[in-house]
Amino acid sequence: MVTNPDNFQHGDYSGVPVEDNSTHAEAKMTLPTHVTRKWELFPGRNRFWCDGRIMMAPQTSVFFVTVSLICVTSTLFFYFDCPYLTIHLSPAIPAVGGFLFLFVMAALLRTSFSDPGVIPRATSHEAAYIEKQIEVPNSANSLMYRPPPRTKEVMVKGQPVKLKYCFTCKIFRPPRASHCSLCDNCVERFDHHCPWVGNCVGRRNYRYFYMFIVSLAFLCVFILTCSVTHLILITKEDKIFFEAVRESPTSIIVVIVCFFSVWSIIGLAGFHTYLVSSNQTTNEDIKGSFTSKRGQSNFNPYSQGNVCSNCCHVLCGPVPPSLIDRRALVTDMSEYQQQESGVGGMGAGEGGANQQPNTVTTNNRSYGATCPPHHESPSGNGLNAQLGCNLATTTSTENISMSPPSLHAAPISIATSSCNNPAPHMVAPIHHGAASIPLSTPSINGSDTSSIRANAGAATNEGGALYESAPLAPKMDLSDLDLDDLDEVMIGVMTSSPPPSTSSANQLSASRLRLLQDTTMIESALDLDSLEESCTSSVGAGSQAGLIRRADLMTS
Amino acid sequence: MKAEGMPNHTTPLDEINPRQGQTQLCMKVFVQRDYSDGTTVRFQTLFPSELEGKLDKGAFLYTVNQLNANFAEAEKGSCSTYCEGCLACITAYLMYICSETHYEKCLRKVAKFVAEQNERVYMPRGLLLTNPVDRGLRVIEISILDQPMVART
């Protein structure tokens, strides 16, 4: 979609990669003090600890609730109930309890700290290649740009499976994969995002998760029965129940905690046992991917055939490798930078950036990064401006220079520095669209321009991190940064400068439409990821309809 | 138990990719995954037209088939892999910290195969094969080193 700006420029020049040299210089500068590993440049929102060994979701507070709930309850049990039960019943009770507890914790930590099966994002080359493959060949003089289809159908064991294009990762998601909107990654064999374990549950950690659930169910039942037994044994010593509770008040706490959690845990364990035996994921089960619809027979093409082999394959089968290879050293910095610029505003990664603010490379992502949801963005204009940033990079690569250079004599440039990491030298200065509209379109009447000016003024006032600076970028004269102004800009351009030939105008509008479509697609992709399968088509159609409407508006 | 264990496949891949800087600007061909047999890693054996005249079709098929065979072996549910999985489960997955899984051994084999193919077949023809693991097992990337990337129209 957004092809890499560097490439085109380098291609135009003598092939000497100017940017790359500086990149290497930076890499050399940082190398002696800090070794850059891949997790620091990871584009998703995941958090990493212990130099990338531990990988978790961005929000981990519920995970600590889980851990403390299990630990506190078990500690109370071991400290207050076990001594009595050991003496009166058997020393096997603390042994079994201890084993179960250790197993539960091991499985839980394993689930939480491992990579669920994140599919790395496409490199800019791969994204461009995919884009080229799916591009619909439309005739040169057709005004309407037809967007390429964003789904691909493949046959899996004779069963048609729809692969959806992921706008964030720039890939067609493999079968069974889904994009986790919280972690901002595509995850292989995505099951669900589990806040309790503080991670996605996917192909690589599903077995740990299942073992965790099952062993936790056992532990819960075990502790519940033991605590109840403790209370009953005290009652049997010729005491009333109230006395027993007074003698061992912690037992009743443990019993209450276990009683309320055991049902949901057993239910979950049963549900996942069913899923394992039929080799489905929670995601597929909820969507009903394999239920027969409208008389069409539908079956699970991933099933191994019978319950036993399904269980074996899911729980004991070969463990796929972690594809993001997060501990590896970064050898090819330029690739990452390209990826970053290709991904543009969609990156939204801040996990590594927050932890390692001293590295040059992590600063790199700060431009164009959308504000993570827990940060409040400085203004409503933020998103638009960032989309504009995307637009600006695209337009500069395609070299659509329309207004003469003298027209943007004194443009107001607005830099969108990300709220958590202001790095002015990295941030591409953006000329706000409205600012240069009056210059390039003298034919627009006064009221229009004044309203646009007011718009610009409001935007400048609103933006928290806006400042004026000398424009650094050479070709930023395309000024349709604010999406709301886009229509007006287009009309203005069309009316003010009579095009030398109609074909060029058509080309122009087509490329503009593509830009627009890129942005709208990106915008809708934000919603797409969280939507169910059934809704996505209508959303896509909606955005396309919007495109067509604007195209009509242009032609009129 | 905090760690993911040893880093899964460390650096052999990085050492194999020489001239990495050069591959940035050249044209690339991608061989896509073949999902017809489920989600096991398999690549399409369709010969890309961009490689016409640059690479023998037989050599290409040999590479892809060998890679497919390697990945099939890695993902095959044999008795030994199931035993390995069960053992790891019984040890509460602590076994993975100290031992290498069957899959990782196969990946090592793949990396070796890619390096060997590069040296013998691809590099002399001005091509470069990238280990599919580096591309998330989604594609086999073949860079045509002497052909600059063409800008899309």
Side-chain angles (χ1 to χ4, degrees), chain A residues 3 7-8 103 110 114 120 125 129 135 155 157 171 174-175 204 208 211 316 319 321-322 325 332 338, chain B residues 1-2 4 8-9 20 24-25 30 35-36 50 74 81-82 86 89 93 96 103 107 136 138 149 151-152:
Chain A
T3 44
N7 259 333
F8 292 97
F103 194 91
R110 189 95 206 176
S114 54
H125 286 278
Y129 191 82
E135 203 160 79
M155 299 297 272
K157 290 186 178 166
I171 53 167
R204 288 192 75 247
Y208 312 140
M211 282 336 246
C316 298
V319 201
S322 176
D325 199 15
D332 195 9
Q338 289 185 358
Chain B
M1 193 49 237
K2 291 202 165 181
E4 169 73 356
N8 274 337
H9 36 86
Q20 184 72 267
Q24 283 307 316
L25 301 170
F30 295 92
Y35 293 113
S36 62
E50 289 94 334
T81 51
Y82 286 149
C86 285
C89 176
Y93 302 105
Y96 286 145
Y103 209 123
L107 285 181
R138 257 174 323 190
M149 187 176 164
R152 282 191 302 130

Side-chain angles (χ1 to χ4, degrees), chain A residues 1 3 7-8 10 15 17 53-54 103 106 109-110 113-115 119-123 125-126 128-129 131-132 135 154-157 163 171 174-176 203-204 207-208 211 302 309 312-313 316-323 325-329 331-332 334-335 338 514, chain B residues 1-5 7-11 13-14 20-21 23-30 32-33 35-39 48 50 74-77 81-82 84-86 89-94 96-97 101-103 107 133-139 141 149-153:
Chain A
M1 274 180 35
T3 44
N7 259 333
F8 292 97
H10 297 332
R53 288 184 182 88
I54 293 174
F103 194 91
L109 295 185
R110 189 95 206 176
F113 293 165
S114 54
D115 168 21
I119 304 169
R121 295 182 184 184
T123 57
H125 286 278
E126 194 185 329
Y129 191 82
E131 199 72 15
K132 214 165 75 184
E135 203 160 79
V154 294
M155 299 297 272
V156 178
K157 290 186 178 166
L163 304 187
I171 53 167
R176 313 195 89 175
R203 186 181 180 194
R204 288 192 75 247
R207 64 188 67 192
Y208 312 140
M211 282 336 246
Y302 314 109
S309 56
C312 274
H313 194 261
C316 298
V319 201
S322 176
L323 295 173
D325 199 15
R326 53 194 189 270
R327 292 263 299 146
L329 298 179
T331 50
D332 195 9
S334 53
E335 190 173 301
Q338 289 185 358
R514 187 189 290 179
Chain B
M1 193 49 237
K2 291 202 165 181
E4 169 73 356
N8 274 337
H9 36 86
T10 41
T11 42
L13 321 163
D14 303 329
Q20 184 72 267
T23 64
Q24 283 307 316
L25 301 170
C26 64
M27 191 176 155
K28 295 180 183 206
V29 179
F30 295 92
Q32 302 288 336
R33 278 276 291 274
Y35 293 113
S36 62
D37 212 27
T39 47
E50 289 94 334
E75 304 208 355
K76 195 176 61 176
T81 51
Y82 286 149
E84 193 183 276
C86 285
C89 176
I90 288 166
T91 58
Y93 302 105
L94 296 171
Y96 286 145
I97 295 174
T101 61
H102 173 67
Y103 209 123
L107 285 181
V133 179
D134 288 356
R135 297 287 175 261
L137 293 178
R138 257 174 323 190
V139 286
E141 183 183 299
M149 187 176 164
V150 281
R152 282 191 302 130
T153 49

